[in-house]
């Protein structure tokens, strides 16, 4: 019990954006937890994310949700950490970050969930018109991992 409280407190206090994705036998991925740093980087509140399937989160671009699911599946497949780069426009800022997903087994060795952390690679303010054109051009707020292998670094 004390360990759970300590973990929850440490997770909330992390200055590194972090999240937990719950998995089930049906292959569904839902956000189990997000910390304040993750809320800030994606521009969404925890109450709008937690408990929702990746594709149900309003404000999370479908391309980003699909990419995240793809890498969750890869993490489960190789039972190891996976790193990949993502890009999102948040409040006129072009944000690129490196996401790392790690499988989190329970005490019996079965997958209990996936822990994710984010390292901001670059933030760049852009003109609203430039951001709109870029988003429209790349359809759904492009996630540059969709069709490129060079941005994927699998440990």
């Amino acid at each position: 019990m004390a360990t759970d409280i300590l973990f929850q407190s440490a997770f909330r206090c992390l200055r590194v954006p972090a999240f937990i994705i719950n998995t089930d036998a049906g292959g569904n991925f839902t956000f189990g937890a997000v910390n304040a740093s993750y809320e800030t980087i994606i521009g969404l509140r925890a109450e709008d994310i937690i408990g929702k399937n990746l594709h149900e989160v309003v404000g999370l671009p479908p391309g980003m949700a699909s990419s995240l699911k793809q890498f969750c599946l890869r993490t489960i497949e190789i039972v190891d950490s996976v790193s990949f780069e993502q890009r999102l426009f948040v409040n006129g800022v072009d944000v690129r970050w490196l996401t790392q997903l790690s499988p989190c087994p329970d005490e019996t060795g079965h997958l209990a969930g996936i822990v994710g952390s984010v390292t901001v690679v670059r933030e760049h303010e852009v003109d609203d018109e430039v951001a709109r054109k870029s988003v429209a051009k790349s359809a759904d707020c492009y996630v540059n991992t969709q069709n490129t292998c060079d941005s994927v670094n699998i440990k």
Side-chain angles (χ1 to χ4, degrees), residues 44-55:
L44 299 171
R45 299 174 314 176
E47 54 267 16
D48 297 328
I49 302 168
I50 296 173
K52 294 190 178 171
N53 183 292
L54 303 180
H55 293 283

Side-chain angles (χ1 to χ4, degrees), residues 7-23:
F7 173 78
Q8 290 171 9
S9 178
F11 183 78
R12 277 194 312 271
C13 294
L14 278 176
R15 292 181 186 225
V16 173
F19 56 93
I20 297 173
I21 295 180
N22 296 328
T23 61

Side-chain angles (χ1 to χ4, degrees), residues 102 108 130:
S102 300
T108 66
V130 172

